[in-house]
Amino acid sequence: MTTSLSRFHYHVGEDPAVGDDETARSPESFGPTSDEMGEEVPALSFNSDEAAARYYLDQLLQRDDRPEMRSLVEPERPERVPGLVVESDQDLNVLGTHQLRFTQTHHGIPIFGASAVVELTEARDLVSVNAQLDEVSGVEPVESLSRAEALRRVAEYTDVGISSEAGVSGRLNFYKDDSGVWHLAWFFTELPAEPPDMGEDADADTDALTGHGLGPRPIPPSFNYLVDAHNGDILFYYSAVATALAIPTRCTGID
C-alpha cells in the first residue's frame, strides 16, 4: 500500500495568515515586497500554470519542517521542485479554478503512489495543495532483475502462463511498503493472472460470474503487480478492474 507516504495539505481557507474574505493566495504573499536596499520588488508573474504551481509547491515545502518534504526543494536547480513531473491539468469549471497533478520521481524513476495536486485561480493565485510525497532512501536505483525475469516471478506466483507481450508495459518504480522500507520494483499493469489467494473465493461464488440470474458476467482476470527488482519478491498487487470483485445485485428504484 501507499499509506506510509507522507501527506501534505494546504488550503487558503485554513491559512491563518490569510484574511477571511480572501479565496486565494497571491505569489507576493510568499516573499518580501522590498529588497535589502528598500527598493520595491517587482510583482511576480508566471508564463504558465505549471510555473505558478511549481513556485507555490517550492515555497510551501521550504516552510515544512519534515526532512522528506524539504528534500524536494533543490535551490541549486533552476527548475523549482525538479523531482515533480506534470501528469495532467484540467479546468474545474464548477469552481472556476484550474488543477494540475504532478507525479514524484527519484533519479527519473516514478515513486508509486506519490503525487501532488495544485489548484489555482484563473489569475494563477493559489487555492490549495494536496499531496503524498516522500524521500527515497536505502535502495539501489539500478535493477538486478530484468523485466522478463520479474514477469516470470509473477507467472510462478500465480501458476498462470503469461506471454512476454503482456509484460511490455512493465516499468520501474520506487515503492515504500507499510513497514517504511523502500524497494525498486517492476510495476506491471493489467496482467491476466489472478493471485492464488483469490482463486478459492472466485470458484466458490458462482454468482459473481452468473450475475444472480441477470445474465453472464465473464470478467477475465486483470491485476497490477509490483515485483522487487532486486530479489524478485511479489511486493503488492491489486485488481486493475475497479468492479471486478463486486457481485451484481438485483435492485429496484425510481429512475
Side-chain angles (χ1 to χ4, degrees):
M1 299 294 288
T2 59
T3 54
S4 55
L5 295 179
S6 297
R7 295 180 179 272
F8 180 89
H9 170 77
Y10 172 87
H11 193 283
V12 65
E14 302 167 0
D15 189 343
V18 177
D20 294 336
D21 59 339
E22 295 184 60
T23 58
R25 187 169 176 181
S26 68
E28 289 74 30
S29 68
F30 285 95
T33 56
S34 59
D35 59 21
E36 296 178 354
M37 302 298 294
E39 298 291 332
E40 184 176 346
V41 175
L44 281 173
S45 62
F46 305 109
N47 57 12
S48 68
D49 292 325
E50 178 184 349
R54 287 186 180 278
Y55 172 80
Y56 294 125
L57 283 168
D58 178 81
Q59 293 296 311
L60 290 172
L61 294 176
Q62 282 188 51
R63 291 163 169 76
D64 196 288
D65 294 333
R66 292 170 291 177
E68 63 268 27
M69 293 297 171
R70 296 178 65 88
S71 69
L72 277 79
V73 179
E74 299 187 36
E76 70 280 3
R77 296 280 294 273
E79 183 184 22
R80 301 180 192 271
V81 286
L84 299 182
V85 178
V86 175
E87 179 183 6
S88 65
D89 62 274
Q90 61 177 327
D91 291 321
L92 304 179
N93 295 325
V94 174
L95 300 175
T97 57
H98 193 76
Q99 184 183 85
L100 288 91
R101 179 179 293 274
F102 295 81
T103 55
Q104 186 186 356
T105 64
H106 178 67
H107 290 304
I109 299 173
I111 299 175
F112 183 80
S115 64
V117 179
V118 182
E119 183 182 3
L120 306 172
T121 67
E122 187 176 351
R124 293 174 176 156
D125 289 342
L126 176 65
V127 177
S128 67
V129 174
N130 283 289
Q132 287 192 110
L133 304 167
D134 221 314
E135 181 180 13
V136 177
S137 62
V139 59
E140 173 61 46
V142 179
E143 71 276 14
S144 306
L145 205 70
S146 69
R147 178 169 54 189
E149 177 62 20
L151 186 65
R152 189 180 68 81
R153 297 296 182 96
V154 177
E156 290 179 352
Y157 177 71
T158 59
D159 196 23
V160 174
I162 307 174
S163 68
S164 57
E165 289 78 12
V168 295
S169 64
R171 297 290 183 270
L172 288 172
N173 274 233
F174 285 107
Y175 171 72
K176 188 179 185 183
D177 64 26
D178 287 337
S179 62
V181 177
W182 283 101
H183 304 264
L184 180 67
W186 285 105
F187 179 41
F188 296 102
T189 59
E190 301 181 353
L191 293 183
E194 189 172 70
D197 58 352
M198 304 185 73
E200 293 182 4
D201 293 337
D203 292 340
D205 194 354
T206 56
D207 281 343
L209 293 179
T210 61
H212 291 283
L214 301 179
R217 187 175 180 262
I219 299 178
S222 182
F223 284 81
N224 299 339
Y225 286 85
L226 281 156
V227 183
D228 193 294
H230 291 303
N231 60 27
D233 287 348
I234 306 298
L235 299 171
F236 184 53
Y237 56 78
Y238 58 98
S239 175
V241 183
T243 59
L245 303 181
I247 301 174
T249 304
R250 188 187 296 277
C251 300
T252 59
I254 299 174
D255 192 346

